[in-house]
Amino acid sequence: MQIIKGRENLRAALGTLRAGGKSLAMVPTMGALHEGHLALVREAAAHADRVIASIFVNPLQFNDAGDLERYPRDEEGDAAKLESAGCDAVWMPTPADLYPDGFATTVHVEGITDLWEGAHRPGHFDGVATVVTKLFTNVRPDVAVFGEKDYQQLALIRRLTADLDLGVEIVGLPTVRAEDGLALSSRNALLSDDERAAAAALPRALDEMAAMIRAGTPPRDAEAAAKQKLVGAGFGPVDYVAYVHADTLEPLETANKDARIIAAASLGKVRLIDNRAG
Ligand code: AMP
C-alpha cells in the first residue's frame, strides 16, 4: 500500500494508481480506524479497480476546540488496518496542505445543513462540505464510499456532489455495529467502561421507537419516550431524537414508509449520533 504525504506527491501516486485506465474509489476518513471504516474500504473495492483512503482530521468541521484536541489519532495502526483491508493507497494531507495561508473559500450547502447536526454544531457542515470538495478535486475518484452512520452528512455529500458536478458516484454503506448494537465510532474509545456499557441504550431506544411508530404511536410521543429512556440510561444532554423524511430530513408528523430515525446525545464528554430506518 502506498502511503502518500503532502499534496505534491499525490499527483504522481494517482498516475500509478490509474495506470492502464484503472478506476478509482475513495474512502475519506479522519483516522482512528475501526471495522466500520474497513467495511467502507471493502465496499469501495467492489466498485472500482483501485481504492484510495484519506486520513485527515479536518479542523474546519470541529466547532469545539476540545473535541478536536481529544480526537483519537493512530497513523501507524491505521495504515496497517487499511493495508489488511486491501486498500491500495492512503493519502494523509496536513492542514497546511489543504488550507494554506490565505485560504478563504467555504462551501455551503443550503437547507439540509440548517437542521439537526447543523443546528447543534454551527459551522460543522460547512467544514465537511469544504473538505469533501477539496478531497474530491485533488483525488478525482470515480466513486466515493461513506457510512450511513453519519446520515445527514451522507445526504449533504450527495447534494453537494450533484450541485457542483463533481462527477463522483456516492455510495452509502449501512452502519457497522458492535455486538450490543452500538454503532462503531472512533469516539467510542473516549467512553469510560461504565459509559460504554450505557451507550447501547442509544440504538435500543431507536429500535423501540421504530417499533412504537409501526404499532401506531404518534411520532412525537415515540420521540418523547425515546428521550426519556436515554436520560434514564445516563445520557445528557439529548440534543435530538427525531422521526424525519429520509431525503429531506424534515420532521414527519405521521408514520411514513420513507422515514429515518435520527438521534444525537452525550454521555459525559462524548457526543454520540445514531440513526436507523423509520
Ligand atoms: P470518520 O472518520 O469517523 O469521520 O468517518 C469516516 C467515514 O466512515 C464516514 O463516511 C463515516 O460515515 C464512516 N463510518 C464511521 N463509522 C461507521 C460505522 N460504524 N459504520 C459504517 N461507516 C462508518
Side-chain angles (χ1 to χ4, degrees):
M1 185 180 70
Q2 293 188 68
I3 296 181
I4 309 157
K5 303 244 172 159
R7 268 190 77 210
E8 64 287 358
N9 298 317
L10 182 63
R11 187 171 294 267
L14 289 174
T16 311
L17 287 165
R18 291 281 200 180
K22 297 279 193 283
S23 59
L24 184 63
M26 179 172 197
V27 178
T29 81
M30 298 205 299
L33 301 181
H34 51 63
E35 257 317 302
H37 299 115
L38 303 186
L40 300 182
V41 170
R42 289 189 280 266
E43 179 70 19
H47 290 268
D49 302 316
R50 298 275 187 263
V51 178
I52 183 168
S54 61
I55 296 179
F56 180 61
V57 183
N58 175 31
L60 285 192
Q61 74 188 69
F62 285 80
N63 52 312
D64 172 344
D67 189 25
L68 172 61
E69 208 169 290
R70 278 194 299 277
Y71 201 83
R73 289 166 170 85
D74 177 17
E75 258 187 35
E76 263 180 44
D78 287 345
K81 286 176 193 167
L82 288 172
E83 181 149 36
S84 73
C87 199
D88 297 290
V90 57
W91 182 36
M92 301 181 181
T94 63
D97 288 324
L98 289 183
Y99 311 124
D101 283 348
F103 185 83
T105 299
T106 298
V107 180
H108 176 73
V109 179
E110 298 259 320
I112 206 165
T113 57
D114 296 335
L115 299 163
W116 317 117
E117 283 306 281
H120 282 89
R121 303 184 64 188
H124 168 66
F125 282 133
D126 285 358
V128 170
T130 303
V131 80
V132 169
T133 303
K134 293 216 46 154
L135 292 171
F136 283 180
T137 50
N138 276 279
V139 174
R140 303 197 166 278
D142 301 290
V143 181
V145 187
F146 293 88
E148 285 184 356
K149 157 82 176 17
D150 300 277
Y151 191 82
Q152 194 174 356
Q153 169 177 284
L154 176 58
L156 160 102
I157 291 167
R158 288 192 195 284
R159 180 81 264 154
L160 159 83
T161 308
D163 288 355
L164 295 185
D165 308 315
L166 295 179
V168 181
E169 181 196 343
I170 304 299
V171 173
L173 191 79
T175 302
V176 178
R177 297 177 181 278
E179 239 170 60
D180 64 358
L182 180 66
L184 298 187
S185 165
S186 309
R187 288 193 169 83
N188 295 352
L190 305 174
L191 295 168
S192 69
D193 290 349
D194 286 350
E195 287 166 347
R196 174 62 191 81
L202 177 56
R204 210 162 45 235
L206 303 193
D207 290 348
E208 289 166 5
M209 181 172 155
M212 284 173 79
I213 294 170
R214 274 199 306 273
T217 306
R220 288 297 88 74
D221 295 348
E223 288 171 5
K227 278 184 193 162
Q228 224 164 28
K229 284 174 196 160
L230 291 176
V231 171
F235 279 86
V238 178
D239 287 347
Y240 58 85
V241 178
Y243 185 75
V244 302
H245 192 279
D247 298 329
T248 64
L249 273 77
E250 296 284 350
L252 291 169
E253 300 305 324
T254 53
N256 187 304
K257 67 175 177 36
D258 295 320
R260 200 85 194 170
I261 293 172
I262 58 173
S266 293
L267 262 181
K269 279 193 156 65
V270 186
R271 188 170 178 280
L272 301 176
I273 59 171
D274 203 352
N275 70 88
R276 55 154 291 145

